[in-house]
Amino acid sequence: MASLKIINANIYTPVGHKAAKGAKMGELLHIPDGEVCIVDGIIEYVGPARDGNCSDCEVIDAKGRAVLPGFIDSHTHLVFGGYRPDEFMWRMRGDSYMSIMERGGGIVNTMKATRQASEQELIDKAKWYIDRMSEMGVTTVEGKSGYGLDCEAELKQLRVMAAINADPDRKVDIATTYLGGHALPPEYADHEAYIDFMINEMLPKVKGLADNCDIFCEKGVFTIEQSRRMLKAAAEAGFGVKIHADEIVTTGGAELAAELGALSADHLLHISDQGIKDLAASNTVATLLPLTAFTLREPFAPGRRMIDEGCAVALATDLNPGSCCSGSIPLTFALACIYMNMSVEEAITALTLNAAAALGRADSIGTLEAGKLGDVVILDSDNISMLPYYTGMNSVAITIKRGKVASSNF
Ligand code: NIG
Ligand code: FE
């Protein structure tokens, strides 16, 4: 039995097995002189310091530093070939994200590089990102397919994530998402025919490899009706569903997510008033990606208003080679607090419990509670305000994954 005990822990954690909505997002349990015990990767005890020692357990003395649940980056496109710095520079000179896509760049550009890359190359690249993420406190990351678009390359992306998940010493768990509906592949002239292919041929093949299914619902990509057809079929096949919604223009993607009982609606820069109401009345998590708004020079999603109206908000990075080539958790905290007026407590809930709910995993991760995975972050300060205040800089000292130290600069 492998045991790890964290003593002198200044614990801050949300509590529960489902997303926290509205004002509840700001309520963290605080145990100033606490202790966390992890046995065989599972949290056995969280609470005030206890007397006595266990004979054969590893002990980490947190020395009063803040101890939080591991961060969960619930929206990334982690596995991809190549990079697109030229497109970034074109955007800096005034081109829009969509105009580059219409000229044949964008997602299809990365599709070509991803189809060409070997499985091992993609594994090595994803692991490079995972090492960086772990240093920033991430213990679970979502990874989407969607840069293969044909059968073989979509399965290749999902196999890459399965290979990383098969390593018993992995630094993160990857929650896998099938995003075949990311763009129309060049082999298809017609969106409906491609959706038929995804529903009839791909969903049965990715079952078991992907936990969830996502689609890019956007003007010029997939319509609301097409997204509804795809996601309904995915839900019937047993996938949790997610949706890239209202990112570039208002389409009603948030309303569709609520209607379908989706795990999450993501982006939401241009969410409608009705969309906010519908999400607040539903169990769908509103996943906001402030790094993408920042890199696209778009207005931030109305995070403050969504929380005030009762939504469950999660935060994620959207790491991808196009719209947002960043997996920075520190900058996500900073942008959420500086530009979306979230409190640091709300931002912590958004990157832990609510992110877990956005992956359908709130029963097993997202809080420090007995029975959940031993995924823990120790900051290098006793003060959680360091997370946004130390802007874009890393304030994580130790990341613990399933009871083992995954990264440390203590
Ligand atoms: O979430 N919006 C769609 N997908 C990604 C961008 C993908 C890309 O540009 O490669 C996003 O922003
Ligand atoms: Fe995305």
Side-chain angles (χ1 to χ4, degrees), residues 235-272:
E236 275 161 27
F239 295 88
V241 301
K242 302 169 81 68
I243 177 166
H244 280 66
D246 303 319
E247 178 182 356
I248 314 287
V249 297
T250 307
T251 63
E255 292 89 322
L256 176 63
E259 171 197 317
L260 295 175
L263 289 170
S264 70
D266 300 38
H267 284 290
L268 306 174
L269 273 54
H270 299 278
I271 188 171
S272 69

Side-chain angles (χ1 to χ4, degrees), residues 75 77 144 244 267 289 318 320:
H75 182 140
H77 307 250
K144 300 177 193 291
H244 280 66
H267 284 290
L289 310 165
D318 197 22
N320 74 75

Side-chain angles (χ1 to χ4, degrees), residues 286-306:
T287 299
L288 308 184
L289 310 165
L291 290 170
T292 311
F294 182 61
T295 49
L296 291 182
R297 293 177 166 156
E298 290 284 332
F300 290 87
R304 178 73 266 142
R305 204 182 130 207
M306 294 169 83

Side-chain angles (χ1 to χ4, degrees), residues 167-187:
D167 177 356
D169 290 324
R170 62 193 175 280
K171 294 183 175 186
V172 300
D173 289 310
I174 306 178
T176 51
T177 299
Y178 171 60
L179 176 59
H182 201 189
L184 188 67
E187 298 80 16

Side-chain angles (χ1 to χ4, degrees), residues 181-205:
H182 201 189
L184 188 67
E187 298 80 16
Y188 280 83
D190 172 45
H191 288 76
E192 299 299 337
Y194 181 55
I195 292 173
D196 286 341
F197 162 75
M198 287 194 286
I199 292 176
N200 298 324
E201 313 231 357
M202 290 308 293
L203 286 183
K205 289 199 173 80

